[in-house]
Amino acid sequence: MSSHTYIHDLKQQVGQTVTLKGWVSNKREGKGIVFIVLRDGTGYCQCVITQDNSGENNLNIAQSTALETSVIIQGSVHADEKQIGGVEVQVNQIEIVGESIDYPIAKKEHGIEFLMDQRHLWLRSTRQWAIMKIRNTIIFSIHKYFQSQGFVQMDAPIFTGNACEGTSTLFETDFYGEPAYLSQSGQLYGEAMAMAMGKIYTFGPTFRAEKSKTRRHLSEFWMIEPEMAFYDIFQNMDTIEGMLQAVIKDVLAECSEELKTIGRDTSVLESSLKSFPRMTYDEAVSIIKGEKPVNGIYSIAMLEAELAQTEEKLKSIESEIADKEAKLATPGLKKGEINFMTAKIIQLKQEKSDVEEDLRNIPQWLNSARNFEYGNDFGGSDETVLTKLFDSPVMVYDWPHEVKAFYLKRNPEDTRFARGVDVLAPEGYGEIVGGGERETNVQNLVEKIHEHELPMEAFEWYLDLRRYGSVPHSGFGLGLERLVTWICKLKHVRESIPFPRMYGRLTP
Ligand code: 4AD
Ligand code: MG
């Protein structure tokens, strides 16, 4: 039994006296009155300290608190629909647990590098809190889905002797004097375990040296890798869709407050509950190149229209900024008007910079659409062009075998293609899942291992899986942070994980 009440449970405590323990996340003061917004990790609640109700001493203590001071508050709970959480606490007693002097993160805007340096504190902010709650819901939902479908969770090793996804992104480390690599993927071990358990999934950290700064690459990320014996690529796609929809449903049902907090328009999440379009690489390429329409719309026409609209939008934002700045310059404005106008200008400038970014991107997308070369893997812009035409994730399968991993099975009906599948998230997010049906033929695998210049001896055990009771099997890898980033519609993957590790970022 907890010695105090959590804010999340306050609605059931109306009329009671409770003890709350948490941090001052916001404070307003008037004459003889202090309003503290207390946060305790489960929610936020307004606590009122007045001279009359709380007494001089408590009022003094409340006045002395600063942002992020930790406190214990005792008070009575009152229903108040206007307040966050639907209640307000009238304080009888407040006690400081730990003071907080000059908390580095102020309410004003900070640059992203500053906030990343303060990540250990930034995690306390409302927006980051909401993202982490959604991440937690997603993690739990993934486990629930697989456990309810009879999958066995397995942990793959992190020290590995060989590459799984190509050698270029390996982190090398020292294993008792021998070179070892941090795992890029648990898949190969998952395949072994699937031959023992039938259906398994891993849920663990994976590592890739990605020596460039992008919105979607981390050096350390969490991957969920199911592997299923006796599944072909189509059953694999059913599993991917089932899992993603289970997660989206849970997030919509359990995180509506958090989604609101981060300003997520949920319409695309809702439209993702219908079945995902599935198409071959060939079909996807004709859509990207504007040869094949989706619901009557051709990629190039769509992008040209978007470019024209975006140029218009920029003009209108610029004129609005000029208008507001002119108003701000008129003499005799009230303080409230100045504050309002200044805030509006800051907001408009942010919108302007977003629109300007679109204006830099759209020509690149157009370039992708016009000049995509058949046979290539998809880059970020190709994925964007394709997914812009859909309002749910899209599954693309049967890729030219040259651009995909060594372990993928060839399509027996057309051996130019490997039975890989990528799931591309809409709204410009792109790949969140990569997977496929596995090659079962030893000879084909040996050839591929040579072709990819991988050390054969490291893969002998993997070939054994084909020598002893080989069966058709499939699996996939879901990048947890990519999924969180899309579901929360974040601009950058770095906000989707508590402490991101990426090129140029190892602290805090
Ligand atoms: O497509 P990938 O490279 O596939 C594999 O690793 C397979 N072994 C998976 C399997 O079939 N068992 O990676 C899978 C997913 C990507 O779709 C992406 O979501 C994520 O992992 N991912 C990354 N996420 C963040 N940062 C990176 N650097 C990532 N690289 C891949
Ligand atoms: Mg991939």
Side-chain angles (χ1 to χ4, degrees):
M1 192 49 202
S2 160
S3 64
H4 65 283
T5 301
Y6 287 100
I7 291 172
H8 181 74
D9 302 324
L10 278 182
K11 260 210 137 151
Q12 284 88 56
Q13 305 273 334
V14 171
Q16 312 274 324
T17 297
V18 297
T19 302
L20 298 173
K21 300 184 177 182
W23 295 261
V24 174
S25 77
N26 209 352
K27 191 178 103 177
R28 280 186 300 126
E29 278 182 72
K31 197 163 180 290
I33 189 163
V34 177
F35 300 94
I36 284 177
V37 177
L38 190 75
R39 61 164 193 86
D40 71 352
T42 73
Y44 292 80
C45 125
Q46 170 150 292
C47 301
V48 190
I49 302 99
T50 59
Q51 172 107 37
D52 294 347
N53 290 330
S54 326
E56 181 88 38
N57 185 36
N58 285 315
L59 185 68
N60 287 342
I61 294 173
Q63 282 164 341
S64 77
T65 60
L67 221 52
E68 291 303 322
T69 303
S70 48
V71 293
I72 298 175
I73 282 179
Q74 220 183 64
S76 53
V77 186
H78 299 260
D80 184 346
E81 277 313 316
K82 290 195 306 296
Q83 298 304 332
I84 181 169
V87 293
E88 182 173 83
V89 169
Q90 285 174 12
V91 177
N92 306 326
Q93 203 188 333
I94 175 167
E95 178 192 329
I96 291 178
V97 178
E99 56 181 8
S100 166
I101 298 166
D102 298 335
Y103 187 66
I105 303 178
K107 287 281 162 204
K108 70 174 174 71
E109 291 285 308
H110 289 291
I112 184 68
E113 284 307 315
F114 173 83
L115 289 170
M116 289 305 303
D117 287 340
Q118 301 292 332
R119 184 65 175 166
H120 52 296
L121 302 175
W122 189 28
L123 286 168
R124 301 180 187 190
S125 76
T126 312
R127 183 179 160 79
Q128 300 305 312
W129 170 80
I131 296 168
M132 290 303 134
K133 293 265 285 189
I134 295 170
R135 177 181 166 108
N136 178 63
T137 298
I138 293 173
I139 291 171
F140 191 48
S141 179
I142 291 169
H143 280 295
K144 263 195 312 196
Y145 178 78
F146 286 117
Q147 294 291 336
S148 70
Q149 303 280 322
F151 286 65
V152 172
Q153 198 267 335
M154 79 163 281
D155 301 308
I158 290 174
F159 282 124
T160 58
N162 54 290
C164 177
E165 295 300 322
T167 50
S168 66
T169 63
L170 287 172
F171 275 112
E172 192 173 327
T173 174
D174 176 291
F175 191 74
Y176 308 116
E178 301 244 350
Y181 307 99
L182 300 183
S183 179
Q184 295 164 313
S185 155
Q187 178 195 322
L188 308 186
Y189 302 96
E191 288 185 51
M193 194 74 158
M195 301 301 129
M197 317 301 280
K199 296 191 287 189
I200 64 91
Y201 69 106
T202 69
F203 199 131
T206 43
F207 305 87
R208 298 202 188 168
E210 308 272 6
K211 234 179 161 184
S212 63
K213 293 191 178 178
T214 79
R215 294 187 289 111
R216 40 175 124 181
H217 288 97
L218 291 165
S219 308
E220 176 179 304
F221 61 98
W222 287 71
M223 186 146 59
I224 294 90
E225 294 188 90
E227 196 67 36
M228 296 78 73
F230 298 105
Y231 269 45
D232 66 16
I233 188 176
F234 300 100
Q235 292 166 297
N236 197 22
M237 288 195 263
D238 294 342
T239 309
I240 298 173
E241 187 177 296
M243 173 200 65
L244 288 174
Q245 292 187 338
V247 169
I248 294 168
K249 266 191 207 135
D250 281 349
V251 170
L252 288 172
E254 292 164 29
C255 300
S256 54
E257 279 304 313
E258 289 82 358
L259 290 165
K260 214 184 285 164
T261 297
I262 61 177
R264 175 55 155 138
D265 165 4
T266 56
S267 55
V268 171
L269 299 179
E270 275 143 27
S271 59
S272 298
L273 295 175
K274 63 180 184 338
S275 53
F276 302 166
R278 297 179 187 190
M279 64 193 75
T280 60
Y281 172 86
D282 276 14
E283 244 181 297
V285 170
S286 355
I287 294 172
I288 291 171
K289 292 173 77 75
E291 295 159 3
K292 188 183 154 150
V294 177
N295 295 326
I297 299 170
Y298 292 87
S299 68
I300 292 179
M302 166 193 71
L303 292 167
E304 282 169 346
E306 194 177 334
L307 187 60
Q309 277 164 15
T310 312
E311 277 161 353
E312 278 309 306
K313 200 165 162 194
L314 180 65
K315 274 192 215 140
S316 104
I317 293 174
E318 278 172 342
S319 85
E320 212 181 330
I321 292 176
D323 187 53
K324 292 276 177 313
E325 278 174 343
K327 282 213 182 102
L328 198 56
T330 49
L333 286 182
K334 294 206 185 80
K335 196 173 165 218
E337 288 171 318
I338 294 176
N339 287 347
F340 177 78
M341 217 76 84
T342 313
K344 186 75 196 163
I345 290 170
I346 291 173
Q347 186 201 332
L348 283 167
K349 284 190 173 161
Q350 181 56 51
E351 274 172 41
K352 181 178 172 213
S353 107
D354 290 349
V355 168
E356 282 168 341
E357 193 183 330
D358 288 344
L359 280 178
R360 285 191 296 275
N361 284 329
I362 299 169
Q364 284 187 31
W365 299 334
L366 265 169
N367 183 47
S368 277
R370 292 191 177 118
N371 303 318
F372 183 85
E373 267 185 53
Y374 182 88
N376 283 353
D377 200 355
F378 292 172
S381 341
D382 309 312
E383 293 178 352
T384 301
V385 174
L386 178 65
T387 54
K388 265 180 175 294
L389 289 149
F390 298 91
D391 62 355
S392 78
V394 178
M395 305 209 244
V396 181
Y397 66 97
D398 277 2
W399 292 76
H401 73 90
E402 297 88 348
V403 300
K404 288 288 173 194
F406 77 93
Y407 49 70
L408 288 174
K409 184 185 173 69
R410 296 291 181 86
N411 177 352
E413 269 135 49
D414 189 341
T415 55
R416 288 174 303 159
F417 300 105
R419 303 231 96 163
V421 53
D422 276 8
V423 179
L424 311 176
E427 303 174 286
Y429 285 90
E431 185 187 338
I432 53 174
V433 171
E437 188 169 341
R438 317 309 186 189
E439 183 57 80
T440 48
N441 178 293
V442 177
Q443 209 38 53
N444 291 352
L445 267 177
V446 167
E447 272 169 35
K448 271 288 175 186
I449 290 170
H450 282 307
E451 211 176 281
H452 286 250
E453 296 179 355
L454 295 165
M456 190 59 68
E457 58 295 351
F459 290 94
E460 279 304 327
W461 70 265
Y462 184 69
L463 296 174
D464 271 356
L465 306 178
R466 279 72 182 165
R467 294 182 180 122
Y468 305 106
S470 181
V471 303
H473 62 290
S474 300
F476 62 89
L478 164 69
L480 175 65
E481 288 74 21
R482 295 265 183 99
L483 180 62
V484 174
T485 302
W486 169 55
I487 286 187
C488 295
K489 207 171 178 188
L490 307 178
K491 281 195 180 148
H492 195 295
V493 71
R494 67 188 154 210
E495 278 183 65
S496 68
I497 183 166
F499 292 96
R501 296 290 175 253
M502 57 199 186
Y503 189 54
R505 171 68 54 191
L506 185 59
T507 54

